[in-house]
Amino acid sequence: MISKNDCILLLTELQENGIDIGDKILKVLKSRTLPMDVLQFINSKRQLDLTSFYEKLRKSYNAKKSKLYINIVKEETNTDEVIQTLSSYALQAILYSKTARDSQMFLKHARVREVNLALAKYFQDFDMSICNELMKLIKTDMIACETISGRREYTA
């Protein structure tokens, strides 16, 4: 997901574009975790590529064109499905990165490196534990993005 440094960078970009960010940077620096309201603020002023990407996955699922979204949300555990889901996720993220404002930052936020490392490890020792944990992390990221974009209600 998005790091504190990335959040500060995005806030600085907003400020350079004339948007009043108030004390949001200070709030990020003082917090142990990334404040959800700051992410909501950033996303409302400049939609995050990651939220757009997850929205695209959800719309593809709703149009019955892809099972990728639902496989992540329901935390698929069948080995073949998990491997296919992670592989498809990485490919879709790479394809989406061509339209992202900052493709490198997007690929980092989408955890593409982590997905590829998990898949490489699986094909080395056939241990699914890292792949399963990564599926949970991606689901958490997806839920967080849906929350900051207003699709889900935030519960602290």
Side-chain angles (χ1 to χ4, degrees):
M1 185 69 172
I2 299 168
S3 69
K4 280 184 159 188
N5 287 340
D6 292 339
C7 189
I8 291 169
L9 182 69
L10 291 167
L11 286 168
T12 303
E13 179 184 309
L14 291 176
Q15 188 174 39
E16 288 170 356
N17 290 329
I19 297 171
D20 180 21
I21 61 167
D23 62 347
K24 304 254 187 282
I25 289 179
L26 189 59
K27 186 173 187 175
V28 170
L29 291 172
K30 287 183 174 182
S31 298
R32 291 186 66 209
T33 61
L34 206 52
M36 192 67 84
D37 64 318
V38 173
L39 287 173
Q40 286 175 321
F41 172 79
I42 293 169
N43 197 60
S44 72
K45 303 297 182 188
R46 172 205 184 276
Q47 187 172 27
L48 296 168
D49 290 320
L50 192 61
T51 59
S52 297
F53 174 64
Y54 287 142
E55 180 74 12
K56 182 178 185 287
L57 295 182
R58 187 186 58 74
K59 284 181 179 178
S60 290
Y61 170 71
N62 288 345
K64 302 197 184 321
K65 294 181 181 177
S66 170
K67 294 189 323 181
L68 180 56
Y69 178 85
I70 197 67
N71 283 353
I72 293 168
V73 171
K74 72 177 183 178
E75 293 182 35
E76 180 62 60
T77 57
N78 173 284
T79 299
D80 291 339
E81 287 289 324
V82 170
I83 298 305
Q84 290 171 16
T85 298
L86 289 174
S87 297
S88 178
Y89 175 84
L91 176 61
Q92 290 302 311
I94 291 166
L95 293 171
Y96 185 86
S97 73
K98 290 191 270 182
T99 63
R101 289 184 187 182
D102 183 336
S103 62
Q104 290 180 347
M105 187 181 289
F106 166 71
L107 291 170
K108 177 182 162 190
H109 294 166
R111 301 181 186 268
V112 173
R113 180 178 184 272
E114 294 165 74
V115 170
N116 286 319
L117 289 172
L119 289 170
K121 177 139 178 42
Y122 169 76
F123 289 117
Q124 181 179 11
D125 60 17
F126 298 99
D127 179 2
M128 282 298 295
S129 58
I130 292 175
C131 292
N132 289 330
E133 287 302 311
L134 190 54
M135 287 280 285
K136 290 177 187 175
L137 282 174
I138 292 170
K139 177 185 177 182
T140 301
D141 292 349
M142 190 177 282
I143 290 170
C145 284
E146 288 178 351
T147 301
I148 65 172
S149 65
R151 290 204 51 77
R152 287 181 185 254
E153 191 170 319
Y154 175 66
T155 54

